[in-house]
C-alpha cells in the first residue's frame, strides 16, 4: 500500500497538475473539535488575504481546499496530505496547528514536489526535516527566550517551569531555562504535563510547594490555556505573589473576556497582538474581522495564515504557476515585507521567519475591553532553537 501511495504521489508530481490554470492549496488544520477556533482563524487569515489581494496570481486562479484535523494525529495528518496531493492535485500544502502533524508530512514533500508553509506549528526542528518547509508563524524558542530576561529583570531569581509534554512545550522549557540561567536565575523544577491535562489544581499545589518566586508556563492555545490561567488565579498563586511568565499563547485575545480582571497585568512575549499599532495591521484586522464574522474570535493564527498566503502567492508568481517545489521555496528565501505584525524576513538559511517579539501586558481599554498592550520590542528575532537541534 505504501509503495502504491508513493508511486501515485510521484506520478502527480510529474504530471497533470504542473500546468494547471487553477493552483490548488491544501490546508490542514483543526476546523472542528476543541481547537476549532484556531482553524477558524486559519480560514479568516486566508480569506482576508484573498479579499485584499484577489484570487488570481497572474492568469492562474487560486483555490484553497480544506481538510479537518480536530486534534494532534500524525497518522491522519499524513493521510490527509497524501489525499490532497494524489486526489486533489494540490501544488502547495499549508496550515498545521500542531507540530506532530507537520512533522508527519515532511517525508512526502520531496517526492510529491510540494512545498509546505507552516501557519502555526512551533517546534524549531520542523524546518530541518525537509528543505521544502517554510514557516510564517513563530517558534516557542523565539517567543519564550525574551520572557526569561523579563522575569529576571523583574527581580525573580527562582522559577518553576510547567509545560505541555510535546515538541513545542519541550522547546519552550529549554528556551526559558537557557535564557533564565544565562541571566543568573535558577529553574528549581521542570514539570511536563500530558497534552490532555485539564485539571491543573495538583500542578498549582506543586508550584506552591516548590518555593519558586515565579512560574513559567507553555500550553497550546485553546481550552487548556484558558483553564491553566484560571487555575493559577483560583488556587491562590497570583494572590500569593507567585508571578506567571509565558509566551503569548496564554493570553490570546479570544480568551481575555473569559479571564476578565484576573488577567490584568499579565505579561507575555509574542510575535503579534491584535492591538499592534500600524496601518498594515489596521487593514488586516478590518479584513479579518469581516472574514471571521465575530471580531472577538480573532487571534494570532490568522496572521500566520495571512502571511503564509503572501509567501505562497510569491511562490506561484516565481514559478509561473508550474509545479516546482524547490524553485518555489528558493524564490522566497530572504523575502522581506511589512506584515501586520511588523517587519519580517524569511531567513534564507533556515526558511524560518525573522520578526519582532513584543512584551505585552494585559490591559483594559476605555471601551471596557481587555487587550494585549505592547510595552517593549525585541527587534529582528531569529530562532535560537535552531542551534539546539543541529
Amino acid at each position: 500500500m505504501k509503495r502504491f501511495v508513493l508511486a501515485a504521489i510521484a506520478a502527480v508530481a510529474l504530471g497533470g497538475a504542473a500546468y494547471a490554470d487553477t493552483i490548488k492549496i491544501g490546508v490542514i488544520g483543526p476546523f472542528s473539535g476543541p481547537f476549532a477556533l484556531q482553524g477558524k482563524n486559519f480560514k479568516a487569515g486566508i480569506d482576508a488575504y484573498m479579499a485584499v489581494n484577489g484570487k488570481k496570481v497572474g492568469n492562474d486562479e487560486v483555490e484553497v481546499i480544506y481538510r479537518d484535523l480536530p486534534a494532534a494525529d500524525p497518522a491522519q495528518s499524513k493521510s490527509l496530505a497524501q489525499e490532497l496531493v494524489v486526489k486533489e492535485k494540490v501544488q502547495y500544502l499549508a496550515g498545521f496547528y500542531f507540530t506532530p502533524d507537520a512533522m508527519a508530512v515532511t517525508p512526502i514533500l520531496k517526492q510529491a514536489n510540494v512545498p509546505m508553509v507552516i501557519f502555526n506549528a512551533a517546534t524549531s526542528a520542523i524546518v530541518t526535516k525537509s528543505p521544502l518547509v517554510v514557516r510564517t508563524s513563530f517558534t516557542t524558542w523565539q517567543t519564550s527566550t525574551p520572557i526569561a530576561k523579563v522575569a529576571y529583570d523583574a527581580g525573580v531569581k527562582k522559577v518553576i517551569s510547567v509545560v505541555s509534554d510535546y515538541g513545542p512545550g519541550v522547546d519552550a522549557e529549554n528556551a526559558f531555562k537557557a535564557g533564565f540561567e544565562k541571566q543568573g536565575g535558577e529553574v528549581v523544577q521542570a514539570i511536563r504535563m500530558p497534552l490532555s491535562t485539564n485539571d491543573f489544581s495538583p500542578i498549582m499545589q506543586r508550584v506552591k510547594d516548590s518555593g519558586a518566586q515565579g512560574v513559567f508556563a507553555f500550553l497550546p492555545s485553546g481550552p487548556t490555556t484558558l483553564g491553566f490561567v484560571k487555575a493559577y488565579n483560583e488556587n491562590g498563586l497570583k494572590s500569593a505573589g507567585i508571578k506567571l511568565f509565558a509566551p503569548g499563547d496564554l493570553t490570546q485575545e479570544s480568551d481575555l473576556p473569559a479571564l476578565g480582571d484576573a488577567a490584568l497585568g499579565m505579561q507575555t512575549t509574542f510575535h503579534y497582538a491584535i492591538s499592534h499599532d500600524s496601518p498594515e495591521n489596521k487593514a488586516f484586522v478590518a479584513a479579518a474581522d469581516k472574514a471571521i464574522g465575530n471580531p472577538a474570535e480573532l487571534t494570532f493564527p490568522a496572521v500566520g495564515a495571512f502571511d503564509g498566503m503572501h509567501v505562497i502567492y510569491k511562490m506561484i508568481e516565481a514559478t509561473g504557476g508550474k509545479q516546482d517545489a524547490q524553485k518555489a521555496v528558493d524564490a522566497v528565501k530572504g523575502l522581506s515585507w511589512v506584515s501586520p505584525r511588523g517587519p519580517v524576513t524569511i531567513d534564507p538559511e533556515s526558511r524560518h521567519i525573522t520578526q519582532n517579539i513584543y512584551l505585552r501586558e494585559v490591559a483594559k481599554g476605555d471601551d471596557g475591553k481587555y487587550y494585549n498592550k505592547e510595552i517593549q520590542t525585541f527587534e529582528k528575532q531569529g530562532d535560537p532553537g535552531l542551534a539546539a537541534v543541529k
Side-chain angles (χ1 to χ4, degrees), residues 210-295:
S210 73
Q213 301 160 285
V215 54
F216 168 76
F218 172 82
L219 305 88
S221 288
T224 49
T225 47
L226 181 59
F228 186 90
V229 178
K230 281 188 169 183
Y232 163 78
N233 287 288
E234 291 168 0
N235 284 271
L237 275 72
K238 185 176 184 180
S239 59
I242 299 171
K243 295 183 179 180
L244 176 57
F245 301 98
D249 310 77
L250 265 74
T251 61
Q252 66 170 345
E253 282 81 359
S254 54
D255 285 344
L256 293 179
L259 291 171
D261 285 353
L264 282 176
M266 240 189 95
Q267 292 188 345
T268 58
T269 45
F270 218 36
H271 64 295
Y272 177 66
I274 287 170
S275 65
H276 182 70
D277 187 12
S278 73
E280 292 81 10
N281 188 50
K282 285 171 182 169
F284 163 72
V285 170
D289 278 353
K290 188 175 179 182
I292 205 164
N294 178 4

Side-chain angles (χ1 to χ4, degrees), residues 93-131:
L93 287 168
F96 302 99
Y97 187 68
F98 288 108
T99 284
D101 301 327
M103 288 283 205
V105 174
T106 56
I108 74 169
L109 299 177
K110 184 177 180 182
Q111 193 155 10
N113 193 21
V114 170
M116 172 195 280
V117 179
I118 304 289
F119 289 175
N120 187 75
T123 301
S124 295
I126 300 172
V127 292
T128 71
K129 299 302 178 184
S130 167

